[in-house]
């Protein structure tokens, strides 16, 4: 079995490649080839087999090692997850890359495409960003929706769509290949830039451990191809954390780490409803906060619709104890970034905009 894994240096791709390599170790197993946009840095180690094939997908032709005959399985994890992409940027980063990858697939190739749970679910009117993204929150969601349609209509062979929610570290130890996305909340809470949390305290905040996401993807790649297109939704559903749980667990974990090092605790910030924030506090913030604080406000505003959803997802793969995943991830971040985790909290100060 020949398996191609794209984006093998990304957060999910790294974990998928590691799991597939473990399955193949010590026995006659799948022939796994990975792609990456950049070379592995000198002095780093990679225990997942031969070095990745360098390919800037969509911007250059597929290199010779990837062509010649169709793959048995293509696991497509390569993507840009930035929520700030324009429509054109999202097209170039995600849609064009998918089409390039599908060109390597034959009619019998099982395509395992990593999407996002936020293609589905309920989006509140205040979550939307205008007609540019056709009812989705941002270019990332919109492009992933288009990609799912392309897989369903353009690929003639078997297909599995995997939809994870926000991805955090491994369940056991919180380890993750890169701190991105939701990890920006942690230093903001410590520094005081996250002076308030915007959203509904009882809203749902869906997360999953990266190793469990990889387990679903690798299981699909190594298992029998589905007879018809299959969609796997990874979520906790009705057992999801609420926004208040997410903030409490994060602050409690950070404060336990700070106490071990003799540092004063951080305060848990108050929660402000989205409507109140957008109608009253945000206009004031634009006038009176410093430029650094305003940038923090913009950054954290991107999370508000992801961490206070009115309805949880309906999972096909259930996430157990998401609070435990959250705590392990926060602790791993704190141990990896002790200067930030033990930093001093600076309250918001107003400046004279005039």
């Amino acid at each position: 079995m020949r398996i191609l894994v794209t984006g093998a240096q990304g957060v999910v791709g790294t974990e998928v490649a590691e799991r597939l390599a473990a399955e193949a170790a010590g026995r006659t197993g799948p022939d796994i080839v990975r792609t990456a946009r950049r070379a592995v840095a000198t002095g780093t180690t990679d225990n997942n087999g031969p070095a990745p094939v360098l390919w800037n997908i969509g911007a250059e032709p597929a290199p010779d090692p990837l062509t010649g005959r169709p793959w048995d399985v293509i696991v497509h994890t390569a993507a840009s997850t930035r929520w700030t992409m324009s429509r054109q940027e999202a097209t170039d980063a995600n849609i064009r890359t998918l089409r390039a990858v599908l060109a390597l697939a034959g009619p019998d190739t099982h395509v395992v495409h990593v999407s996002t749970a936020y293609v589905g679910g309920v989006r509140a009117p205040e979550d939307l960003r205008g007609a540019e993204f056709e009812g989705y929150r941002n270019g990332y969601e919109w492009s992933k929706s288009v990609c799912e349609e392309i897989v369903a209509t353009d690929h003639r062979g078997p297909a599995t769509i995997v939809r994870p929610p926000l991805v955090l570290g491994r369940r056991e130890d919180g380890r993750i290949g890169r701190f991105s996305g939701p990890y920006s909340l942690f230093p903001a809470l410590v520094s005081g830039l996250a002076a308030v949390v915007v959203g509904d305290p009882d809203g749902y905040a869906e997360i999953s451990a990266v190793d469990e996401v990889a387990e679903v993807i690798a299981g699909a790649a190594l298992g029998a191809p589905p007879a018809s297109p299959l969609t796997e939704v990874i979520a906790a559903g009705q057992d999801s954390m609420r926004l208040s749980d997410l903030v409490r667990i994060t602050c409690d974990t950070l404060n336990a780490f700070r106490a071990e090092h003799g540092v004063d605790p951080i305060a848990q910030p108050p929660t402000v409803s989205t409507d109140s924030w957008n109608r009253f506090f945000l206009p004031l913030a634009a006038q009176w906060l410093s430029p650094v604080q305003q940038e923090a406000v913009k950054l954290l505003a991107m999370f508000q619709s992801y961490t206070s959803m009115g309805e949880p997802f309906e999972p096909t793969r259930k996430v157990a104890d998401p609070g435990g995943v959250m705590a392990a991830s926060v602790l791993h971040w704190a141990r990896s970034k002790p200067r930030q985790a033990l930093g001093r909290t600076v309250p918001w100060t107003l400046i004279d905009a005039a």
Side-chain angles (χ1 to χ4, degrees):
M1 177 187 290
R2 298 173 68 242
I3 301 177
L4 176 64
V5 180
T6 69
Q9 291 178 348
V11 168
V12 173
T14 297
E15 198 77 22
V16 170
E18 184 172 329
R19 182 170 287 271
L20 289 173
E23 292 285 341
R27 63 181 177 85
T28 302
D31 177 18
I32 303 164
V33 176
R34 301 172 294 150
T35 76
R37 193 156 56 94
R38 299 183 182 89
V40 177
T42 302
T44 61
T45 59
D46 188 336
N47 298 320
N48 296 331
V53 176
L54 298 184
W55 184 21
N56 190 359
I57 307 173
E60 57 190 33
D64 290 342
L66 306 183
T67 62
R69 62 188 177 98
W71 295 85
D72 296 307
V73 180
I74 295 178
V75 179
H76 184 45
T77 76
S80 175
T81 61
R82 287 190 300 115
W83 294 338
T84 56
M85 290 186 290
S86 68
R87 185 183 177 103
Q88 187 59 54
E89 288 172 332
T91 298
D92 292 340
N94 293 334
I95 298 172
R96 182 178 296 175
T97 57
L98 172 64
R99 292 190 185 279
V101 169
L102 288 181
L104 302 177
D108 297 321
T109 301
H110 179 194
V111 171
V112 181
H113 176 67
V114 181
S115 185
T116 173
Y118 301 97
V119 166
V122 177
R123 288 173 288 275
E126 60 267 20
D127 295 339
L128 308 183
R129 299 292 182 267
E132 181 182 15
F133 301 127
E134 301 174 14
Y136 291 95
R137 296 175 180 86
N138 48 54
Y140 169 59
E141 285 186 12
W142 167 78
S143 64
K144 282 299 188 180
S145 173
V146 173
C147 285
E148 289 194 11
E149 293 178 8
I150 292 172
V151 171
T153 58
D154 290 11
H155 178 54
R156 293 170 291 166
T160 299
I161 304 294
V162 180
R163 292 179 173 180
L166 294 177
V167 177
L168 292 177
R170 288 184 170 184
R171 176 177 293 278
E172 182 177 353
D173 57 12
R175 186 162 64 89
I176 195 168
R178 184 173 68 249
F179 298 125
S180 60
Y183 284 87
S184 60
L185 175 64
F186 308 158
L189 286 170
V190 173
S191 67
L193 288 175
V196 297
V197 175
V198 180
D200 176 5
D202 293 325
Y204 293 92
E206 290 274 23
I207 67 164
S208 180
V210 67
D211 55 323
E212 294 176 347
V213 173
E215 180 181 7
V216 174
I217 296 168
L222 296 172
S228 58
L230 176 66
T231 299
E232 297 278 21
V233 179
I234 305 168
Q238 293 295 331
D239 294 329
S240 169
M241 286 188 300
R242 306 302 179 103
L243 175 59
S244 57
D245 299 326
L246 183 151
V247 176
R248 173 183 53 79
I249 292 170
T250 301
C251 290
D252 286 352
T253 305
L254 287 171
N255 284 336
F257 180 79
R258 291 167 71 89
E260 290 177 2
H261 294 79
V263 177
D264 290 340
I266 62 172
Q268 181 171 319
T271 301
V272 175
S273 72
T274 301
D275 181 66
S276 295
W277 177 257
N278 290 334
R279 294 178 59 185
F280 178 69
F281 291 100
L282 189 57
L284 288 178
Q287 296 181 54
W288 299 106
L289 294 182
S290 71
V292 172
Q293 291 165 336
Q294 290 187 44
E295 284 303 310
V297 166
K298 292 177 183 178
L299 175 65
L300 295 174
M302 292 188 292
F303 289 101
Q304 66 189 46
S305 63
Y306 288 94
T307 54
S308 57
M309 299 186 300
E311 295 290 339
F313 298 122
E314 188 65 37
T316 62
R317 299 295 185 102
K318 187 76 177 286
V319 175
D321 186 23
V325 174
M326 191 77 206
S329 299
V330 174
L331 183 57
H332 175 69
W333 174 84
R335 288 172 173 168
S336 302
K337 303 282 187 179
R339 290 185 62 183
Q340 292 187 48
L342 300 174
R344 183 171 65 93
T345 301
V346 179
W348 276 13
T349 54
L350 301 181
I351 62 172
D352 187 350

